[in-house]
Amino acid sequence: LRARIDGAARDELRLRVRLSAATRGGERVLADDVYRVEAGEVARDLGLVDPGLDAARAALAWSPSSPTLIDAQVELLDARGDVLDSVRSYTALRSVAVERDAFLLNGRPYQLRMVLDQGYWPESGLTSSSDDALRRDVELAKAMGFNGVRKHQKIEDPRYLYWADRLGLLVWDEMPSAYRFAPEAMRRLSREWTAAIERDVSHPCIVAWVPFNESWGAPDLPASPRQRAYVRAMYELTNALDASRPVIGNDGWEHVASDIIGIHDYDNDASTLEARYAEAARIEDVRPGGRRLLVDGFERGEQPYMLTEFGGVAYARDESGTWGYARARTAKDLAGRYEALLGAVHRSPHFIGFCYTQFADTYQEANGLLFADRTPKFPLDEMKAITRGQRARVA
């Protein structure tokens, strides 16, 4: 808990913090404490019991399948105990980490089933048409069988993050990229990325930070010591701002510093994709997009691999002016290609998860599983079964 109180300093001020959670047995009070305000600030660690020890405690842990939120009420009190100001919000008990060949959620291995989501709407661009539209996107991602989204080149609306918190959806938060490597770009990106993390750090749905994507803004990493230093600096800055989440320094390829080795591979032959990642010893030799996976000087330790972009199969009602990495001619063809690609990825023993491209069509990019208006391109129940690696009848 960290609180800063603005205004004239007053020695008698106190801060009351009350945390509670809704359980089957009714409201459960987790903390109800009063702290003295010193120098206009209060910083306290609230020690709650380990949620993994028994069923009652585990019920407090936040996850996509059980998005338990903890209501928080903070009150500023004067010497008589009168309330001068108050605020209500929420928090959650949730931990994420990377350990050897696993992504850990609340201390246990957790397979990531994610989808790339650029967050565009046909009628309003990057701004959602309504709060209901944001909620619907979260609901659709879950209905499609995904447990998370990688927000691509967008710092998302806090209302989307609210619904992801409340409904249970993991989010990778990615910084929009600069067009070129330049001193002003470095200053702006570091300033805006810092502001984004400080704004969104309390959302339990966010489980990873991605400051760079595919070397955008640092296009010459293998040859440029300055650009490598830039990516390493952003990786370290992100860790300094928030050490509780993994950081993917440059997702896709040319990794300089990263907690997860993210790979972008749009080969649409499922058998080729499966064979390429069948042996762990050969993965570092893969050149996605013609780029080296690791830059010289980056010694991979126990960072796990994840296929963080693949697929991209286009299907459109009208193909003119549309684009994708491959093209399906019918909805049935798209479903069959999706099943083949997901099957290949599910059978790989070396990935901690995947991120399929993409959630919905975006302008000329017709490679969404949904049309731009969020209409599914084939039935959601089939999509969900394929995403989860279950047997599905593609009709």
Side-chain angles (χ1 to χ4, degrees), residues 41-181:
E41 291 189 356
V42 171
R44 293 289 185 273
D45 290 330
L46 300 178
L48 301 179
V49 292
D50 183 345
L53 294 179
D54 58 45
R57 297 173 185 176
L60 293 175
W62 185 97
S63 70
S65 61
S66 181
T68 302
L69 297 178
I70 297 171
D71 293 322
Q73 182 172 354
V74 181
E75 297 176 334
L76 184 64
L77 310 176
D78 64 13
R80 297 181 301 178
D82 293 334
V83 177
L84 301 176
D85 199 0
S86 65
V87 63
R88 297 184 67 90
S89 187
Y90 65 86
T91 184
L93 285 176
R94 193 274 294 127
S95 69
V96 291
V98 171
E99 184 177 291
R100 296 183 181 177
D101 60 349
F103 175 87
L104 303 181
L105 178 65
N106 299 323
R108 295 182 173 87
Y110 190 85
Q111 193 75 5
L112 295 167
R113 302 188 308 271
M114 306 185 73
V115 65
L116 190 81
D117 182 3
Q118 300 194 60
Y120 282 88
W121 285 265
E123 69 276 16
S124 54
L126 283 169
T127 303
S128 69
S129 58
S130 67
D131 185 58
D132 287 341
L134 292 167
R135 176 172 183 162
R136 180 61 175 152
D137 272 11
V138 174
E139 292 173 335
L140 277 169
K142 291 176 69 72
M144 296 158 75
F146 299 105
N147 55 28
V149 296
R150 175 175 159 228
K151 280 294 176 176
H152 184 50
Q153 295 299 289
K154 183 184 184 185
I155 301 298
E156 190 52 274
D157 190 314
R159 290 298 299 177
Y160 180 97
L161 301 176
Y162 165 82
W163 287 117
D165 290 339
R166 188 155 295 280
L167 300 177
L169 186 69
L170 306 179
V171 175
W172 280 25
D173 205 17
E174 180 183 308
M175 183 64 188
S177 298
Y179 283 104
R180 58 189 292 262
F181 177 72

Side-chain angles (χ1 to χ4, degrees), residues 192-347:
E192 293 178 18
W193 182 235
T194 297
I197 293 173
E198 290 177 343
R199 189 197 72 174
D200 294 339
V201 69
S202 294
H203 285 281
C205 67
I206 296 179
V207 295
W209 302 111
V210 186
F212 289 93
N213 173 72
E214 294 185 348
S215 306
W216 296 347
D220 200 18
L221 286 172
S224 172
R226 289 184 64 207
Q227 293 184 25
R228 293 196 297 273
Y230 176 33
V231 173
R232 279 194 297 269
M234 292 299 298
Y235 169 84
E236 296 295 353
L237 173 64
T238 307
N239 271 307
L241 292 169
D242 176 27
S244 72
R245 295 172 172 93
V247 180
I248 297 82
N250 178 39
D251 195 25
W253 48 65
E254 295 178 345
H255 288 278
V256 174
S258 189
D259 298 322
I260 295 171
I261 307 301
I263 303 171
H264 296 181
D265 191 334
Y266 283 102
D267 193 313
N268 267 271
D269 184 275
S271 59
T272 300
L273 199 67
E274 183 172 356
R276 183 172 293 157
Y277 299 103
E279 298 179 29
R282 296 175 57 190
I283 293 179
E284 288 185 15
D285 296 329
V286 172
R287 286 184 172 255
R291 308 289 192 97
R292 291 152 54 185
L293 193 58
L294 308 179
V295 171
D296 289 344
F298 175 47
E299 296 183 6
R300 179 176 173 267
E302 296 182 334
Q303 297 97 324
Y305 297 109
M306 181 170 168
L307 196 59
T308 48
E309 281 190 32
F310 74 109
V313 180
Y315 169 62
R317 299 184 182 102
D318 178 5
E319 293 184 357
S320 61
T322 64
W323 176 87
Y325 291 92
R327 189 172 293 277
R329 299 303 176 186
T330 65
K332 181 179 179 180
D333 184 19
L334 173 64
R337 288 169 178 264
Y338 184 62
E339 185 172 26
L341 288 168
L342 266 290
V345 175
H346 280 301
R347 286 189 292 272

